[in-house]
């Protein structure tokens, strides 16, 4: 019996999903028409062509901000505005009944921006937190404030489209500028292996001549320079100038020559004196012997 009831419930849910109307741009525009205080929000969705993109999904929840509180994002560029509005489109169904039935906890909700593949650091998700019976929304980026509070449900078509009012727009970090895909990380280079102690000891020491720079080779002479090269290798003889012969003056005697000449003169004088003395001695001896004879 329980199996039949479960099967019937599953079949009913399947048929409900199959035949439930899909979200269309006309549905969103028609839902906002009833609330003139949200005309700016409706115009921004149409201007950024997000209503056409939303039509591809069967279950959508829009977070709407009234005209008085949405002015903080109306001056953004087209791409910035589109990124911000996509974070206000939840890919799930939430209405007042479902939000009030939440437990006191925080849950992460996937937004339309996450489907672009540009989401980083959880900025494609919303943090929905229930605290003391009140529901708050904020960016899924860690540390982001939860300052957009749930007010009421404006429109609901169960399990298809729901539009709920929040107090202020949510601007996730990184969405105020055009977000580009991050560049690929650089390929790390493998460090070179350090030489071992044994290899360092066995490595031959560099030769002292290894650091000398080899002489540059002389350029080969071209065909037109062979004669010039041969002439440059033969030393050129300079003609000798004829100088008139001039009688060179007699060399002046040096100091050594003067000393030698003086010694020769002194030697000759002393020899003469000795000869004269010897002669006088002989004469005296002859006179002496004659006197005694």
């Amino acid at each position: 019996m329980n199996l039949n009831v479960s099967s019937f419930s599953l079949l009913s849910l399947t048929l409900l999903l199959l035949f439930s109307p899909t979200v269309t741009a006309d549905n969103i525009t028609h839902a906002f028409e009833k609330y003139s205080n949200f005309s700016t929000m409706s115009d921004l969705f149409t201007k950024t062509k997000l209503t056409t993109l939303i039509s591809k999904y069967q279950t959508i929840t829009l977070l709407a901000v009234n005209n008085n509180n949405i002015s903080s994002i109306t001056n953004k560029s087209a791409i910035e505005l589109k990124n911000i509005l996509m974070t206000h489109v939840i890919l799930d169904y939430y209405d007042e009944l479902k939000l009030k039935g939440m437990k006191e906890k925080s849950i992460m909700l996937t937004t339309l921006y996450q489907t672009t593949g540009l989401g980083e650091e959880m900025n494609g998700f919303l943090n929905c937190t229930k605290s003391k019976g009140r529901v708050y929304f904020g960016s899924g980026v860690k540390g982001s404030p939860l300052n957009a509070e749930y007010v009421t449900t404006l429109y609901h078509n169960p399990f298809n489209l729901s539009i709920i009012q929040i107090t202020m727009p949510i601007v996730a970090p990184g969405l105020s500028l055009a977000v580009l895909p991050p560049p690929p990380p650089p390929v790390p280079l493998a460090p070179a292996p350090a030489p071992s102690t044994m290899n360092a000891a066995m490595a031959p020491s560099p030769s002292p001549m290894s650091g000398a720079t080899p002489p540059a080779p002389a350029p080969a002479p071209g065909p037109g320079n062979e004669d010039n090269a041969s002439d440059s290798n033969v030393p050129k003889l300079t003609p000798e100038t004829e100088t008139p012969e001039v009688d060179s003056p007699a060399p002046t005697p040096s100091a050594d020559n003067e000393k030698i000449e003086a010694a020769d003169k002194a030697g000759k004088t002393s020899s003469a004196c000795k000869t004269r003395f010897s002669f006088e001695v002989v004469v005296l001896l002859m006179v002496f012997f004659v006197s005694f004879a």
Side-chain angles (χ1 to χ4, degrees):
M1 182 66 179
N2 293 335
L3 182 60
N4 293 334
V5 173
S6 300
S7 301
F8 179 77
S9 300
L10 181 60
L11 179 60
S12 300
L13 181 60
T14 303
L15 293 175
L16 179 63
L17 293 176
L18 288 176
F19 293 100
S20 61
T22 58
V23 179
T24 64
D26 294 335
N27 297 144
I28 298 174
T29 304
H30 179 70
F32 275 117
E33 283 179 352
K34 298 179 180 180
Y35 303 94
S36 59
N37 196 25
F38 293 86
S39 59
T40 303
M41 190 80 172
S42 177
D43 293 340
L44 292 178
F45 270 103
T46 304
K47 178 182 177 181
T48 56
K49 300 180 180 181
L50 283 179
T51 52
T52 304
L53 183 60
I54 293 172
S55 302
K56 300 178 181 180
Y57 297 88
Q58 290 185 345
T59 304
I60 288 294
T61 299
L62 297 183
L63 302 182
V65 182
N66 61 25
N67 297 341
N68 297 331
N69 298 326
I70 201 173
S71 59
S72 60
I73 65 172
T74 54
N75 60 346
K76 302 290 183 180
S77 65
I79 184 64
E80 293 173 341
L81 185 59
K82 186 174 182 179
N83 290 339
I84 295 172
L85 290 178
M86 280 194 290
T87 61
H88 289 69
V89 181
I90 302 173
L91 303 182
D92 201 350
Y93 180 83
Y94 285 89
D95 56 11
E96 185 173 1
L97 181 62
K98 190 173 181 178
L99 291 175
K100 287 185 176 181
M102 282 181 56
K103 296 181 179 179
E104 299 277 331
K105 62 177 183 179
S106 297
I107 58 175
M108 288 293 175
L109 307 178
T110 306
T111 69
L112 185 62
Y113 182 76
Q114 183 64 21
T115 63
T116 62
L118 301 178
E120 56 181 9
E121 296 183 359
M122 298 293 288
N123 62 359
F125 295 87
L126 290 182
N127 182 354
C128 178
T129 299
K130 187 174 183 180
S131 176
K132 298 180 180 180
R134 306 172 74 172
V135 180
Y136 301 90
F137 294 89
S139 172
V141 178
K142 185 177 181 180
S144 297
L146 299 173
N147 48 12
E149 184 179 356
Y150 166 78
V151 179
T152 185
T153 299
L154 302 177
Y155 174 88
H156 66 95
N157 182 9
F159 305 105
N160 180 232
L161 174 62
S162 175
I163 301 177
I164 61 179
Q165 180 185 358
I166 57 177
T167 56
M168 62 185 302
I170 302 170
V171 181
L175 297 184
S176 59
L177 297 176
V179 180
L180 300 177
V187 179
L189 299 177
S196 61
T197 307
M198 182 177 295
N199 294 338
M202 295 178 64
S205 59
S207 172
M209 297 297 293
S210 61
T213 304
N225 299 331
E226 291 181 356
D227 296 337
N228 297 334
S230 60
D231 294 341
S232 62
N233 295 332
V234 179
K236 295 182 180 180
L237 299 177
T238 57
E240 298 181 355
T241 58
E242 295 181 359
T243 56
E245 295 182 358
V246 180
D247 295 338
S248 59
T252 58
S254 62
D256 293 339
N257 294 336
E258 292 178 356
K259 291 180 180 180
I260 293 173
E261 290 178 358
D264 290 342
K265 292 180 180 181
K268 291 179 181 180
T269 304
S270 61
S271 298
C273 293
K274 289 180 181 180
T275 303
R276 184 178 179 181
F277 178 75
S278 299
F279 177 75
E280 290 178 355
V281 171
V282 171
V283 172
L284 289 176
L285 288 176
M286 289 179 66
V287 173
F288 180 75
F289 282 115
V290 171
S291 63
F292 279 96

